[in-house]
Amino acid sequence: MRGVVFDGKQVQVVDDLAVREPGPGEVLVAVSAAGLCHSDLSVVDGTIPFPVPVVLGHEGAGVVEAVGAGVTHVAPGDHVALSTLANCGTCPECDRGRPTMCRQAIGRPGTPFTRGDRTAYQFASNSAFAERTVVKAVQAVRIPKDIPLPSAALIGCGVLTGVGAVLNRAKVDRGDSVVVIGTGGIGLNVLQGARLAGSLRIVAVDANPAKEAAARQFGATDFLTSAEGVRDILPTGADHVFECVGRVELIRQAIDLLDRHGQAVLLGMPRAGAEASFVVSSMFLDKAVLGCRYGSSRPQRDIPLYAELYRQGRLLLDELVTATYPVEDFEKARADAEAGRVARGVLTF
């Protein structure tokens, strides 16, 4: 079968990939569509260290082909969106409703794929850039069949991370002010999360002025090409600032833009080992800096919620899909993503 493999030096679209059958508590999914997220590119450029060879992709949707023993919540033929959260379901963190903190779901890459006589790692417990993938049952979430799979694919990372950061982690309240630095795929979902939460002033900041139309479509009330203008709109600062780029100087800007009792939420991924600084005395007015993993999501709860909001016309998905590419055109999709020409490109099989 076809898949996108990174061997540590180059990325290739191969056709000699194989995946094993699902074991107990696992699901085999025929992937229909997968979003190209910057996290995939971060593996290639070394920002996210990962063992190789690895089958890339982590934001996908498809059709269940087979299930292992004990799996009852999905069946062959079901449409599913895939999450990256291979949590155990039984540890204290899972029991508290915090599956993103499950230690079984962090840093334990498996090798369900083979090429010839060599195994290949699975990225983010998912590897959606393959015609078929095997995931833990908890990662396959059934969705209505009337949702287009290229749109549904984006729920599994961009929507869970961006909307979840607003609703689950920051808990933005009605009337709160929000600043979003970076309006790529994650930033656009933060914008629509703020809109859903009832924020009255939503300021999008992006150096690319061509992104204004999309930012406003997703919920921005204001658009700036520099954070320097935020204080003209919010003189006392913002209740919530989301950094969605992953640059330490922008993290500092996010903290400096906070009002009293404000929160800076970090979503962008800097290079491993990167350090950021801030003026400590500026934090004593009950300000906070929040890390956020995967939108503090509970995928079996959140994915059906977002799917229904989409069906009601309240959450945008189709508008996120700015380009689709057959998997053979991965290099074009990669070039468009790196150049910022698309909010989310989607690979199709």
Side-chain angles (χ1 to χ4, degrees):
M1 68 178 185
R2 293 169 298 168
V4 180
V5 178
F6 176 56
D7 65 5
K9 295 181 179 179
Q10 62 178 342
V11 182
Q12 290 181 294
V13 180
V14 304
D15 60 8
D16 59 348
L17 197 63
V19 66
R20 62 172 174 76
E21 293 297 312
E26 294 181 332
V27 177
L28 175 66
V29 177
V31 178
S32 297
L36 177 55
C37 175
H38 278 278
S39 293
D40 299 301
L41 302 179
S42 293
V43 173
V44 177
D45 68 20
T47 301
I48 298 178
F50 207 87
V52 294
V54 56
V55 182
L56 297 174
H58 64 286
E59 185 181 66
V63 180
V64 175
E65 250 187 28
V67 300
V71 177
T72 59
H73 75 293
V74 294
D78 284 345
H79 287 201
V80 292
L82 301 178
S83 88
T84 67
L85 205 56
N87 60 296
C88 71
T90 60
C91 71
E93 297 295 349
C94 287
D95 190 53
R96 293 187 183 104
R98 299 191 300 215
T100 56
M101 297 295 103
C102 174
R103 284 171 171 79
Q104 298 297 319
I106 301 175
R108 295 173 182 265
T111 54
F113 300 99
T114 54
R115 285 190 70 198
D117 59 356
R118 188 175 182 186
T119 59
Y121 287 97
Q122 185 173 42
F123 178 54
S125 302
N126 189 306
S127 290
F129 293 171
E131 287 187 87
R132 291 173 181 80
T133 190
V134 169
V135 297
K136 289 183 67 172
V138 72
Q139 296 176 252
V141 184
R142 188 170 59 229
I143 57 174
K145 292 184 178 180
D146 59 358
I147 299 180
L149 288 171
S151 299
L154 304 186
I155 300 177
C157 178
V159 176
L160 282 177
T161 299
V163 177
V166 174
L167 302 182
N168 300 329
R169 184 65 169 128
K171 300 186 185 302
V172 173
D173 201 358
R174 293 160 295 179
D176 285 356
S177 59
V178 169
V179 174
V180 181
I181 300 175
T183 60
I186 298 299
L188 290 177
N189 279 296
V190 174
L191 290 171
Q192 70 171 333
R195 170 175 53 78
L196 288 167
S199 177
L200 288 181
R201 208 68 187 259
I202 307 171
V203 183
V205 181
D206 198 294
N208 184 354
K211 294 186 176 183
E212 180 173 0
R216 290 187 180 277
Q217 181 182 27
F218 277 77
T221 60
D222 303 89
F223 183 88
L224 300 170
T225 55
S226 169
E228 294 177 2
V230 171
R231 291 283 181 176
D232 295 330
I233 299 170
L234 301 170
T236 63
D239 296 312
H240 311 273
V241 183
F242 295 83
E243 200 283 333
C244 305
V245 180
R247 289 168 47 187
V248 294
E249 65 271 23
L250 297 181
I251 292 172
R252 172 60 184 268
Q253 283 188 348
I255 295 169
D256 289 346
L257 289 172
L258 294 177
D259 196 356
R260 298 183 179 197
H261 206 273
Q263 300 180 134
V265 184
L266 310 185
L267 295 175
M269 179 65 69
R271 185 171 293 276
E275 296 183 0
S277 63
F278 57 89
V279 178
V280 176
S281 62
S282 71
M283 303 298 293
F284 289 118
L285 292 173
D286 285 1
K287 298 179 184 181
V289 180
L290 303 181
C292 183
R293 181 171 189 256
Y294 203 39
S296 300
S297 297
R298 295 162 65 183
Q300 290 288 341
R301 177 200 66 173
D302 292 348
I303 289 176
L305 169 64
Y306 299 150
E308 186 57 34
L309 287 171
Y310 165 80
R311 297 175 83 196
Q312 294 180 12
R314 298 165 63 189
L315 184 136
L316 305 181
L317 288 179
D318 302 338
E319 296 80 358
L320 282 169
V321 184
T322 45
T324 58
Y325 310 82
V327 68
E328 291 81 6
D329 288 344
F330 173 80
E331 283 303 325
K332 176 172 172 49
R334 175 184 173 184
D336 286 348
E338 289 177 334
R341 289 189 287 267
V342 294
R344 245 334 178 254
V346 175
L347 300 179
T348 58
F349 291 90

